[in-house]
Amino acid sequence: GREHSIYVDKLKTKEIVKEICGDEIEVPKVVKIIENIDDLSKNDLSTSYIIKGSHGSKLNINIKEEKEIENISEIKKRLHRYNRQYKPYKNENQYNYLTPKFFIEEKIDDFYTGLSGEATVFMIRCIYGKAVSIGVLHNKYMNNYYLDWTPIKINIDIDLEENKDEINKMISLSEKLSQFFEFVRVDFYL
């Protein structure tokens, strides 16, 4: 409900994560908050940036080529389409309390895909502050593991062995961030 809406707002969660974890975690840098879509200019954009909606999922515009910046009217059209209340599922009513807002963020230099803007997501699921499983999502395909790395379901061939220390740190931080909730999924990028 309303009391949980700040935890799905991408801009608010950056603040919460920094408040709880401090320097233990690096949060992707916000370049600009877009106050008015029509005021967005070519000078605000770069192929090093991604535009995100803070009020829902899958509201990203990944700027891959300079020609996309030149066609800023298309970017604005997409933002106007996304400029509505996000309603993914009936059971995620926490989104009902968010006002549409957009921001520009620096792309993550992903361990697997570099600066493509298509970073691999480590989804750590926690119950009462204890991590119980990990999902690794890449290009719409997901592997799921128990915490001891026993596979639950494998859909992509990805080697995580050399990144186990960083992933274990993610698990520890997810437990720190989830201690106030019955269930939460904490997403990380490497």
Side-chain angles (χ1 to χ4, degrees), residues 126-186:
C126 299
I127 298 175
Y128 295 111
K130 292 291 177 193
V132 295
S133 69
I134 302 170
V136 180
L137 178 66
H138 179 72
N139 282 343
K140 300 180 185 175
Y141 296 98
M142 185 183 302
N143 289 355
N144 285 290
Y145 306 91
Y146 292 109
L147 290 184
D148 66 0
W149 294 101
T150 301
I152 298 170
K153 186 171 184 182
I154 301 298
N155 294 305
I156 54 174
D157 184 23
I158 187 169
D159 183 12
L160 302 172
E161 192 59 43
E162 66 184 57
N163 298 300
K164 291 287 174 84
D165 289 343
E166 290 93 346
I167 298 168
N168 285 332
K169 183 178 178 186
M170 291 178 195
I171 292 168
S172 175
L173 288 169
S174 71
E175 290 179 342
K176 189 174 187 177
L177 289 164
S178 68
Q179 62 187 324
F180 307 107
F181 302 96
E182 181 180 336
F183 170 81
V184 70
R185 188 189 85 206
V186 185

Side-chain angles (χ1 to χ4, degrees), residues 65-72:
E65 299 177 20
E66 290 291 331
K67 66 181 180 182
E68 292 174 272
I69 296 170
E70 293 304 314
N71 195 2
I72 194 167

Side-chain angles (χ1 to χ4, degrees), residues 76-164:
K76 288 181 181 182
K77 280 181 190 175
R78 283 180 67 188
L79 289 174
H80 280 291
R81 265 197 325 269
Y82 296 162
N83 196 20
R84 58 180 166 67
Q85 195 171 35
Y86 179 73
K87 294 188 177 203
Y89 305 107
K90 291 179 184 175
N91 63 346
E92 291 185 315
N93 63 2
Q94 64 272 23
Y95 287 101
N96 293 336
Y97 305 98
L98 297 181
T99 301
K101 189 169 213 160
F102 302 97
F103 62 99
I104 301 170
E105 181 178 272
E106 286 184 347
K107 288 182 183 177
I108 295 167
D109 190 0
D110 185 62
F111 82 107
Y112 194 55
T113 61
L115 288 168
S116 68
E118 298 168 3
T120 306
V121 185
F122 291 81
M123 302 172 163
I124 302 174
R125 301 166 193 102
C126 299
I127 298 175
Y128 295 111
K130 292 291 177 193
V132 295
S133 69
I134 302 170
V136 180
L137 178 66
H138 179 72
N139 282 343
K140 300 180 185 175
Y141 296 98
M142 185 183 302
N143 289 355
N144 285 290
Y145 306 91
Y146 292 109
L147 290 184
D148 66 0
W149 294 101
T150 301
I152 298 170
K153 186 171 184 182
I154 301 298
N155 294 305
I156 54 174
D157 184 23
I158 187 169
D159 183 12
L160 302 172
E161 192 59 43
E162 66 184 57
N163 298 300
K164 291 287 174 84

Side-chain angles (χ1 to χ4, degrees), residues 33-65:
I33 295 174
I34 301 170
E35 298 295 340
N36 183 326
I37 295 168
D38 294 320
D39 291 339
L40 185 67
S41 77
K42 293 177 189 178
N43 294 334
D44 295 324
L45 305 176
S46 165
T47 56
S48 299
Y49 299 159
I50 190 165
I51 302 172
K52 293 186 172 185
S54 69
H55 60 288
S57 297
K58 300 179 182 125
L59 302 176
N60 298 346
I61 299 175
N62 183 10
I63 303 167
K64 296 180 182 180
E65 299 177 20

